[in-house]
């Protein structure tokens, strides 16, 4: 049997820890895996595009465990009552090739993206950052708000979305959380939200080269957490922001980000730093308080690998309510697959050779 984590189970795992502690632990897992960057067999994700969206497969392995995520991005979906982004994934044992876990990754992607954003900001934003503009107030936005408040000490979030109902929803959800010491301010434009902010998070969805931030909105010392531009032809920043002489651009995995990130707008030789180099201390995340740092996030398979391994560990720790799913046969004789179609056998034994790696 293969372990199974559905939406309800993730709700349960997050509730037990508390969302801030969950994101914090996830950020620790992400950082640990970025520190051992060289252990991973990496490749850019495989994307199938349509005029309205994209479906992507994101595989990665460290030689012991393998994972992949299936994820879509369809900005028009919300008009039909559907999510822009949904995902699920698998964690597998490299030695046997057997899947260990099948998990939802829609909620988990929002949690891991917030964890990754905060982790990058810890290395790149000014230490005295207290005010964040949050542009794009859809599905990911609560996770970003909570993570930056709890883990980075943000005291004021300034919200803007072209859809006022999305901002009202975010305001309502944040108010219900009673986040101590967090001021939530609704703004009338992206420019108003960004003015004077220490950090600007852009997490919008539109399948086009949108210009959410123009050069005039960016001030010295700002950290830009650009999350929403993550596909060819889908960006959020004006190219001149990247080209500022005082800008430092950090990406997750250069071969993928050159195609999918904000840097797709720039020539092939445009300098970028991989986040693994920042974590390992081979490159600085920020040189001084006046530099404009840009985390050009697209989402990399390593982050889902770390998230799958983390939720799997939590799932196994609580054996009482630990669900499995029968998607791999368990046979007395592995050469007799046909036996499965014969008369019903006694209930198969749980496979004892499946290992769980921490
Ligand atoms: N980098 C990553 O790791 C990562 C992870 C998850 C999602 N994403 C991306 O983040 C984006 C947001 O995802 P989501 O699930 O919150 O989507 P969503 O559709 O729920 O929310 C997006 C919001 O952006 C708003 N928006 C669109 N154009 C805008 C504009 N010009 N100005 C201001 N607001 C605008 C929409 O009204 C909507 O409320 C998507 O593009 C998704 O692909 C990236």
């Amino acid at each position: 049997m293969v372990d199974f984590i559905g939406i309800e189970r993730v709700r349960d795992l997050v509730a037990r820890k508390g969302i801030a502690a969950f994101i914090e632990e996830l950020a620790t897992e992400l950082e640990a895996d970025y520190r051992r960057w060289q252990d991973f067999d990496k490749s850019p994700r495989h994307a199938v595009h349509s005029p309205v969206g994209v479906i992507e497969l994101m595989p990665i392995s460290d030689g012991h465990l393998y994972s992949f995520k299936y994820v879509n991005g369809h900005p028009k979906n919300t008009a039909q009552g559907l999510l822009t982004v949904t995902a699920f994934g698998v964690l597998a044992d490299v030695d046997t090739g057997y899947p260990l876990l099948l998990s939802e990754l829609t909620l988990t992607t929002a949690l891991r993206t917030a964890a990754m954003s905060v982790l990058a900001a810890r290395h790149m934003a000014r230490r005295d950052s207290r005010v964040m503009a949050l542009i794009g107030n859809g599905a990911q936005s609560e996770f970003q708000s909570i993570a930056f408040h709890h883990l980075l000490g943000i005291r004021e979030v300034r919200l803007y979305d072209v859809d006022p109902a999305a901002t009202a929803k975010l305001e309502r959800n944040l108010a219900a959380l009673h986040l101590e010491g967090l001021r939530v301010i609704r703004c009338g434009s992206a420019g108003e939200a960004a003015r004077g902010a220490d950090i600007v998070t852009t997490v919008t969805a539109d399948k086009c080269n949108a210009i959410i931030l123009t050069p005039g909105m960016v001030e010295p010392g700002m950290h830009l957490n650009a999350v929403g531009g993550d596909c060819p032809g889908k960006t959020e920043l004006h190219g001149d922001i990247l080209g500022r002489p005082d800008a430092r651009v950090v990406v997750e995995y250069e071969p993928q980000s050159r195609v999918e990130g904000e840097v797709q707008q720039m020539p092939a030789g445009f300098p970028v730093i991989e986040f693994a180099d920042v974590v390992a201390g081979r490159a600085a995340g920020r040189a001084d308080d006046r530099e404009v740092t840009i985390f050009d996030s697209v989402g990399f398979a390593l982050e889902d690998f770390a998230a799958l391994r983390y939720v799997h560990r939590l799932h196994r720790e609580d054996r009482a309510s630990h669900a499995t799913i029968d998607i791999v046969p368990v046979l007395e004789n592995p050469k007799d697959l046909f036996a499965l179609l014969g008369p019903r056998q006694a209930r198969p034994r749980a496979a004892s050779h499946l290992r769980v790696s921490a």
Side-chain angles (χ1 to χ4, degrees), residues 72-73 75 78 83-85 109-110 112-113 135-141 160-163 166 190 203-206 210-212 226-230 234 236 252 297-300 303:
N72 76 298
T78 53
L83 285 153
T84 295
V85 176
T109 290
R112 77 83 156 126
T113 303
I135 303 168
N137 301 158
Q140 311 296 320
S141 61
Y160 175 69
D161 194 296
V162 284
D163 173 12
V203 63
T204 67
D206 204 352
I211 298 183
I212 307 300
V227 177
D230 56 2
K234 179 166 175 265
E236 294 179 307
E252 290 144 311
S297 162
V298 293
F300 182 51
E303 295 150 23

Side-chain angles (χ1 to χ4, degrees), residues 126-133 144-159 174 178-185 196-199:
R126 292 192 337 272
R127 292 211 175 279
D128 61 353
S129 296
R130 293 293 171 265
V131 177
M132 179 167 91
Q144 292 281 331
S145 308
I146 293 166
F148 276 89
H149 172 58
H150 281 290
L151 278 61
L152 207 87
I154 287 299
R155 295 280 164 262
E156 182 174 306
V157 274
R158 301 191 187 154
L159 317 182
L174 293 180
H178 304 292
L179 299 173
E180 205 185 319
L182 182 70
R183 261 174 26 113
V184 178
I185 296 175
D198 303 306
I199 297 176

Side-chain angles (χ1 to χ4, degrees), residues 51-288:
V52 292
V54 64
I55 296 177
E56 296 162 329
L57 277 180
M58 303 170 69
I60 193 163
S61 170
D62 69 354
H64 302 288
L65 290 172
Y66 166 95
S67 74
F68 76 82
K69 173 163 91 169
Y70 166 105
V71 61
N72 76 298
H74 286 70
K76 63 151 193 59
N77 271 5
T78 53
Q80 302 169 47
L82 301 175
L83 285 153
T84 295
V85 176
T86 68
F88 69 91
V90 164
L91 190 66
D93 176 29
V94 168
D95 280 349
T96 59
Y98 266 47
L100 302 171
L101 170 69
L102 170 65
S103 179
E104 87 79 44
L105 285 178
T106 304
L107 262 173
T108 305
T109 290
L111 292 157
R112 77 83 156 126
T113 303
M116 188 61 214
S117 289
V118 157
L119 177 59
R122 279 181 172 161
H123 288 273
M124 299 174 67
R126 292 192 337 272
R127 292 211 175 279
D128 61 353
S129 296
R130 293 293 171 265
V131 177
M132 179 167 91
L134 182 49
I135 303 168
N137 301 158
Q140 311 296 320
S141 61
E142 286 79 3
F143 300 85
Q144 292 281 331
S145 308
I146 293 166
F148 276 89
H149 172 58
H150 281 290
L151 278 61
L152 207 87
I154 287 299
R155 295 280 164 262
E156 182 174 306
V157 274
R158 301 191 187 154
L159 317 182
Y160 175 69
D161 194 296
V162 284
D163 173 12
T167 306
K169 173 253 0 176
L170 174 57
E171 268 186 315
R172 251 191 337 269
N173 285 342
L174 293 180
L177 289 169
H178 304 292
L179 299 173
E180 205 185 319
L182 182 70
R183 261 174 26 113
V184 178
I185 296 175
R186 184 192 281 233
C187 297
S189 68
E192 185 188 331
R195 199 168 308 128
D198 303 306
I199 297 176
V200 180
T201 290
T202 53
V203 63
T204 67
D206 204 352
K207 200 167 165 56
C208 67
N209 293 113
I211 298 183
I212 307 300
L213 292 185
T214 56
M217 297 179 194
V218 178
E219 298 164 18
M222 268 183 178
H223 172 65
L224 310 184
N225 174 39
V227 177
D230 56 2
C231 262
K234 179 166 175 265
T235 54
E236 294 179 307
L237 308 184
H238 190 290
D240 289 353
I241 297 173
L242 302 161
R244 282 172 71 116
D246 59 352
R248 175 177 298 253
V249 180
V250 172
V251 299
E252 290 144 311
Y253 177 52
E254 187 176 342
Q256 182 178 313
S257 300
R258 290 269 178 209
V259 179
E260 299 183 351
E262 297 300 325
V263 293
Q264 67 184 267
Q265 305 176 69
M266 307 308 278
F270 178 76
V272 298
I273 297 168
E274 281 191 332
F275 184 65
D277 286 334
V278 174
V279 166
R282 291 186 291 270
R286 161 176 292 277
D288 58 54

